[in-house]
């Protein structure tokens, strides 16, 4: 096995190279938890995983086909299920699936259906009971002046043994497991999104959860309480999505707006509905790579190079662990993230063709269980259309910084807290503030911005009220608390529409700057009339922004008290650790890049 890297295993919920997002548990014929690299965070070096151990012993006992033998992750510490779920000791076969953005992408296609098809799709949709949600939840995201706000979606991949899942390798144990869980954050601009894969064997605190019999559990925490156990609470065949949502909210401090659960057979059906998904392998895969318990190499299952897979072949690809790289789970997670990106790209390219639209919409809705906010075709359609402006490059996948704790994972503090804070502040991986106006699909695009002229330092002497509402974003470029709120109040009083008040990246700006995009110079001059001495600067960005400097602070007494009724601008979150930013994967990355880890291919 190759030596570990010194970088964390940031997962791929959407990233330009997300190195191994932990999108769930082990697959058929696969080993246990997230294996792989040592991560360097703010707290120092993170040890590399040890070879062998309990996961290897469990794999040695695995039987072919996923029914007779124990799966690669069936152990007590692999999922936490036996300790927390209360089932017997019957061996289980774990399945790894990729479902998250596949389902979200498929929802966009529902927009083209109607009539009898509309009724058919409505009949497919199943609703998650909201009675199990915690009463102690994080606050909702705050909307800007135009009512735009970010949306947080919890995507859960369920390997329920019901509904034909066992025929695809789902095993024969009762209940359901969540081998894939992604928290998808859609930024307020609805042009950017980030998916955070939460490793299934992460040590967490599971808050009180409602069981199928109506009783509530007590809070669970300790060295044997793993994230995957939340979905198994109560041993329901459908899983406990509300308990998983409660656990994610407690872990992250982020309020989940919507939850979607997709099962194993649904994933297979969707890959067929789009006519296959392009993947890439550095070397050919044989039967004993899929099932290491075989005593022979067996037939070739997947050739080397680029190829299309669907159904069982797609499942073999995303479950594959052995035969490529060092056999660790890190490489498999990289391939899963590449697969998810390729699936989304395929949906975007082919989804609006009628021959693809109906089968995919049917497959997606049949396999979905959703919260009450999405439990109709109308709601799903509205939600899906709100995602249509997210470019593949601006969809990133990551895994929170982690380190091994025996066979399980600890999330590294303070690095992981910086990730949660950046998401709550609507900051992208590169620190961009993504709050603000959503694009208007019906508006005519403005001409590209001309090269920025030399800044002018003379602003108009008097303010002239705009004839139509002018939208302005405010950024506090100083350390004076409440300065942005004060400027925002002044703009509102002058009949401008303030789209948001935030802290600028730099807090040592000397002079206030009015930045404006193409076609906005006249409106920017009207804004500048409120800020004597401000500099007008043309930029390639759309809209108008006011970046406050020390001159504005001095003119307003340099005081930190906000204007009456206004709240102080929040401080910018700390920069994200390199273990997140450098390991992120964008959905448009080359599918042949970063699909293995370590030596051996």
């Amino acid at each position: 096995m190759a030596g570990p890297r010194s970088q964390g295993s940031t997962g791929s919920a959407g990233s330009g190279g997300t190195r191994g997002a932990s999108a769930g548990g082990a697959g058929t014929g696969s080993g246990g938890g997230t294996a792989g690299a040592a991560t360097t965070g703010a707290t120092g070096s993170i040890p590399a995983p040890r070879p062998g151990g309990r996961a290897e012993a469990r794999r040695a006992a695995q039987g072919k086909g996923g029914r007779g033998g124990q799966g690669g992750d069936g152990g007590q510490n692999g999922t936490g299920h036996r300790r927390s779920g209360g089932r017997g000791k019957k061996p289980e076969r774990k399945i790894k699936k990729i479902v998250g953005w596949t389902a979200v992408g498929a929802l966009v296609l529902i927009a083209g259906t109607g009539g009898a098809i509309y009724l058919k799709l409505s009949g497919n949709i199943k609703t998650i009971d909201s009675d199990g949600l915690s009463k102690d939840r994080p606050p909702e995201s705050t909307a800007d002046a135009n009512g735009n706000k970010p949306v947080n979606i919890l995507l859960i991949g369920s390997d329920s043994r019901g509904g034909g899942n066992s025929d695809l390798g789902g095993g024969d144990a009762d209940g359901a497991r969540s081998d894939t869980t992604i928290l998808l954050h859609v930024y307020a601009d609805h042009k950017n999104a980030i998916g955070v894969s939460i490793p299934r064997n992460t040590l967490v605190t599971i808050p009180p959860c409602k069981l199928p019999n109506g009783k509530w559990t007590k809070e669970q925490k300790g060295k044997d309480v793993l994230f995957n156990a939340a979905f198994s609470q109560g041993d329901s065949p459908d899983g406990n999505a509300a308990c998983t949502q409660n656990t994610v909210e407690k872990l992250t401090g982020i309020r989940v707006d919507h939850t979607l659960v997709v099962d194993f057979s649904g994933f297979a059906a969707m890959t067929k509905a789009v006519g296959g998904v392009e993947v890439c392998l550095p070397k050919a895969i044989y039967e004993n790579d899929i099932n290491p318990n075989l005593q022979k190499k067996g037939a070739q299952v997947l050739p080397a190079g680029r190829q299309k897979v669907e159904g069982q072949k797609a499942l073999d690809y995303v479950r594959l662990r052995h035969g490529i790289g060092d056999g660790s789970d890190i490489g498999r997670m990289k391939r899963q993230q590449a697969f998810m990106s390729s699936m989304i790209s395929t949906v975007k390219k082919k989804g609006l063709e009628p021959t693809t639209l109906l089968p995919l919409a049917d497959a997606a809705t049949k396999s979905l269980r959703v919260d009450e906010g999405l439990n109709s075709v109308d709601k799903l359609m509205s939600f899906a259309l709100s995602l249509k402006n997210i470019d593949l490059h601006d969809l990133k996948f990551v895994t929170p910084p982690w380190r091994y704790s025996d066979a399980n994972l600890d999330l590294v503090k303070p690095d992981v807290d910086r990730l949660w804070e950046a998401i709550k502040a609507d900051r992208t991986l590169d620190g961009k503030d993504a709050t603000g106006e959503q694009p208007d699909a019906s508006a005519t695009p403005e001409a590209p911005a001309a090269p920025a002229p030399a800044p002018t330092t003379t602003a108009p002497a008097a303010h002239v009220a705009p004839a139509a509402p002018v939208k302005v974003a405010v950024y506090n470029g100083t350390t004076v608390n409440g300065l942005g709120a004060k400027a925002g109040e002044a703009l509102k009083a002058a009949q401008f529409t303030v789209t948001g008040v935030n802290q600028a990246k730099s807090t040592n700006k000397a002079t206030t700057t009015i930045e404006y995009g193409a076609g906005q110079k006249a409106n920017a001059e009207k804004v500048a009339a409120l800020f004597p001495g401000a500099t007008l600067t043309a930029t390639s960005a759309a809209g108008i922004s006011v970046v406050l400097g020390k001159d504005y602070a001095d003119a307003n007494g340099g005081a930190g008290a906000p204007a009456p009724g206004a709240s102080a601008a929040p401080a910018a979150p700390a920069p994200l650790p390199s273990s997140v930013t450098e390991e992120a994967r964008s959905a448009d990355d080359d599918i042949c890049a970063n699909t293995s880890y370590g030596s051996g291919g």
Side-chain angles (χ1 to χ4, degrees):
M1 182 177 290
R5 295 185 301 175
S6 61
Q7 198 62 37
S9 82
T10 42
S12 190
S15 6
T18 289
R19 305 293 184 261
S22 163
T28 301
S30 306
T34 313
T39 303
T40 302
T43 56
S45 178
I46 297 168
R50 300 169 299 180
R54 287 174 287 181
E56 294 297 330
R58 288 196 297 273
R59 284 198 300 276
Q62 178 187 25
K64 184 176 181 181
R67 294 186 178 230
Q70 178 174 326
D73 294 328
Q76 210 168 17
N77 288 326
T79 63
H81 174 73
R82 292 183 188 168
R83 286 182 178 150
S84 302
R87 283 206 287 272
K89 300 181 179 295
K90 185 176 183 179
E92 302 169 357
R93 182 181 177 89
K94 295 298 180 185
I95 304 301
K96 182 82 122 187
K97 305 154 298 294
I98 293 300
V99 292
W101 245 95
T102 298
V104 175
L107 294 181
V108 177
L109 309 181
I110 297 173
T113 64
I117 297 170
Y118 177 99
L119 296 176
K120 173 180 172 58
L121 297 181
S122 293
N124 289 344
I125 299 170
K126 297 173 285 292
T127 304
I128 298 169
D129 188 358
S130 62
D131 288 346
L133 295 182
S134 174
K135 307 303 180 187
D136 181 18
R137 303 182 61 190
E140 293 186 22
S141 301
T142 303
D144 62 21
N146 297 308
N148 300 325
K149 66 178 183 178
V151 182
N152 298 305
I153 307 134
L154 185 63
L155 308 172
I156 303 172
S158 167
D159 69 349
S160 169
R161 271 54 176 171
N165 289 316
S166 60
D167 294 336
L168 293 168
D172 54 7
D174 296 330
R177 253 79 62 204
S178 59
D179 286 337
T180 301
T181 304
I182 295 175
L183 178 62
L184 178 70
H185 177 80
V186 179
Y187 293 87
D189 64 2
H190 282 221
K191 291 183 178 179
N192 295 269
I194 180 173
V196 183
S197 296
I198 302 177
R200 62 178 182 81
N201 60 333
T202 302
L203 294 166
V204 298
T205 295
I206 298 179
C209 292
K210 185 179 179 181
L211 301 177
N213 62 10
K215 296 182 179 180
W216 286 75
T217 64
K218 294 181 178 179
E219 182 178 273
Q220 304 170 53
K221 57 184 176 181
K223 285 294 183 181
D224 60 348
V225 179
L226 307 182
F227 176 70
N228 192 40
F231 194 70
S232 301
Q233 295 296 301
D235 288 335
S236 167
D238 291 329
N240 197 330
C243 187
T244 298
Q245 179 173 329
N246 293 343
T247 304
V248 169
E249 290 187 340
K250 185 172 185 66
L251 176 68
T252 65
I254 298 170
R255 188 182 183 98
V256 173
D257 299 299
H258 296 297
T259 296
L260 298 87
V261 181
V262 186
D263 65 27
F264 194 22
S265 60
F267 164 75
M270 284 187 282
T271 63
K272 292 181 179 179
V274 297
V277 177
E278 188 177 21
V279 298
C280 189
L281 287 168
K283 60 187 298 186
I285 299 302
Y286 295 85
E287 287 181 328
N288 70 332
D289 297 321
I290 302 296
N291 179 13
N293 195 49
L294 291 179
Q295 300 301 312
K296 60 181 180 179
K297 186 175 184 178
Q300 179 176 286
V301 178
L302 297 166
R306 291 177 180 265
Q307 59 200 281
K308 276 193 174 183
V309 294
E310 63 179 58
Q312 185 66 56
K313 294 285 188 181
L315 295 172
D316 288 339
Y317 177 88
V318 298
R319 285 161 25 196
L320 177 66
R321 174 168 180 167
H322 299 281
I324 302 180
D326 61 7
S328 72
D329 207 41
I330 296 297
R332 179 172 58 183
M333 291 187 293
K334 289 184 178 184
R335 291 185 290 279
Q336 291 169 343
Q337 299 294 350
F339 184 94
M340 190 182 301
S341 299
S342 183
M343 178 73 171
I344 299 165
S345 176
T346 301
V347 169
K348 288 177 76 72
K349 290 175 182 176
K350 298 185 61 177
L352 297 181
E353 297 176 3
T355 54
T356 302
L357 173 69
L358 300 182
L360 184 53
D362 190 39
T365 52
K366 276 183 178 177
S367 62
L368 279 177
R369 286 193 299 119
V370 299
D371 66 276
E372 294 171 354
L374 295 176
N375 64 352
S376 73
V377 172
D378 286 339
K379 293 175 183 177
L380 282 169
M381 181 170 62
S382 176
F383 167 66
L385 290 176
S386 72
L387 309 179
K388 64 184 173 63
N389 290 303
I390 301 175
D391 186 79
L392 289 175
H393 184 72
D394 297 320
L395 169 59
K396 310 292 185 183
F397 292 100
V398 300
T399 292
W402 59 273
R403 64 182 163 209
Y404 270 97
S405 176
D406 294 326
N408 301 315
L409 301 181
D410 265 330
L411 299 186
V412 178
K413 292 179 176 290
D415 289 10
V416 70
D417 292 328
R418 288 158 65 183
L419 174 60
W420 306 142
E421 290 304 317
I423 290 175
K424 285 188 280 188
D426 223 31
R427 296 294 175 111
T428 59
L429 292 182
D430 58 2
K432 172 186 173 184
D433 183 355
T435 57
E437 180 184 4
Q438 296 180 28
D440 182 356
S442 63
T444 302
E446 294 186 85
T456 14
T457 55
T458 305
H463 165 66
V464 179
V470 175
K471 298 172 183 177
V472 183
V474 179
Y475 297 91
N476 186 359
T478 76
T479 58
V480 178
N481 291 331
L483 196 66
K486 181 183 284 292
E489 291 300 313
L491 285 162
K492 291 177 183 177
Q495 300 177 13
F496 291 100
T497 298
V498 178
T499 60
V501 176
N502 293 279
Q503 193 72 29
K505 291 182 181 179
S506 173
T507 57
N508 60 356
K509 191 166 183 62
T511 304
T512 298
T513 302
I514 313 299
E515 300 176 350
Y516 62 92
Q520 293 290 331
K521 183 176 182 180
N523 287 330
E525 291 174 345
K526 296 173 183 177
V527 171
L530 297 174
F531 302 91
T535 297
L536 283 165
T537 303
T539 69
S540 59
I544 300 174
S545 297
V546 175
V547 186
L548 301 172
K550 187 175 181 296
D551 58 339
Y552 185 75
D554 292 341
N556 287 271
S567 58
L576 289 171
S578 60
S579 59
V580 173
T581 58
E582 294 179 6
E583 297 295 321
R585 182 183 189 97
S586 295
D588 64 347
D589 281 355
D590 183 359
I591 61 169
C592 290
N594 301 314
T595 58
S596 66
Y597 174 71
S599 62

